[in-house]
Amino acid sequence: MMKRCFWVSDDPLYIEYHDTEWGVPVYNDVILFEFLILETFQAGLSWITILKKRENFRQAFDDFDYQKIAVYNDDKYEELLQNSGIIRHKLKIKSAISNAKFFMDIQKEFGSFSDYIWSFVDGKPINNTFDKKEDVPATTILSDVISKDLKKRGFKFVGSTIIYAYMQAIGMVNDHTTDCFRYEN
């Protein structure tokens, strides 16, 4: 049997996510925004909860089209609050809308959100060498820096823990443990 990271359960959705997405470097702005939204909604919940609702989020949030989300009106906000397929958290929904606007501000300033976020690591993933669960941090100095910068730009729900999870998801850091079959990939 293939050895995977400690956090992967036997849920096929979790296995698929771990094996094909988690830690794979992402440079596409739409996917970067999708993960930003999903990580925002994950705060305080398990990632598997978000994965199970991911397609519902995709439908509810117009395929994570930040240009559409940025102009959501009160009717759309109320519709999202009534959507039982997603996490119906008032502040998280509001932040998804406002974060879409700030996301586009960063694109205007840097050319793309990808250029902005990857500039923190000179465009290359940080390859960590964690052997066990206890070695993997929840935050780092770098996630603190990125979180602070995003907050300064108006973003909400971008604390250091959320940002570190985001960095892991989009492959800015390779946090597959050294005994995981994906560590070298």
Side-chain angles (χ1 to χ4, degrees):
M1 190 166 103
M2 279 192 283
K3 180 85 169 122
R4 291 183 172 86
C5 292
F6 62 88
W7 54 266
V8 181
S9 71
D10 59 358
D11 187 299
L13 203 53
Y14 234 178
I15 292 169
E16 174 74 13
Y17 173 70
H18 170 272
D19 291 0
T20 63
E21 283 188 271
W22 193 73
V24 175
V26 174
Y27 299 94
N28 176 294
D29 274 9
V30 175
I31 299 169
L32 289 169
F33 185 73
E34 173 182 354
F35 276 114
L36 193 59
I37 292 244
L38 295 177
E39 292 293 350
T40 294
F41 278 92
Q42 188 268 328
L45 303 169
S46 68
W47 186 245
I48 192 65
T49 300
I50 300 304
L51 283 179
K52 288 181 177 178
K53 293 179 177 280
R54 189 178 191 179
E55 288 310 311
N56 296 335
F57 275 104
R58 189 179 312 285
Q59 290 174 2
F61 284 94
D62 291 296
D63 287 326
F64 302 107
D65 182 334
Y66 46 84
Q67 293 176 326
K68 288 181 181 178
I69 295 167
V71 295
Y72 281 178
N73 59 23
D74 290 342
D75 290 342
K76 180 63 177 183
Y77 169 75
E78 290 299 326
E79 177 189 314
L80 290 167
L81 276 178
Q82 302 306 315
N83 187 333
S84 62
I86 65 169
I87 308 299
R88 297 180 289 182
H89 187 287
K90 291 178 182 183
L91 295 177
K92 290 178 181 180
I93 293 171
K94 281 194 182 297
S95 76
I97 297 167
S98 62
N99 286 353
K101 295 171 188 166
F102 300 128
F103 188 90
M104 291 190 301
D105 289 344
I106 285 176
Q107 287 179 317
K108 285 183 193 122
E109 184 178 344
F110 291 87
S112 70
F113 188 83
S114 178
D115 286 348
Y116 162 77
I117 201 71
W118 282 94
S119 72
F120 288 97
V121 292
D122 295 325
K124 296 183 294 283
I126 296 168
N127 284 303
N128 290 316
T129 54
F130 301 129
D131 295 324
K132 55 191 181 303
K133 176 182 182 175
E134 296 76 31
D135 296 339
V136 182
T139 64
T140 61
I141 292 169
L142 182 57
S143 67
D144 294 346
V145 168
I146 296 171
S147 169
K148 187 176 179 182
D149 192 69
L150 287 169
K151 287 177 181 178
K152 186 181 78 184
R153 295 170 181 280
F155 283 78
K156 303 281 188 245
F157 287 94
V158 290
S160 190
T161 303
I162 289 171
I163 292 305
Y164 194 70
Y166 180 69
M167 292 166 65
Q168 291 172 316
I170 66 168
M172 281 179 74
V173 293
N174 173 10
D175 276 358
H176 287 283
T177 48
T178 55
D179 62 345
C180 174
F181 85 96
R182 292 278 297 131
Y183 175 71
E184 295 293 337
N185 296 322

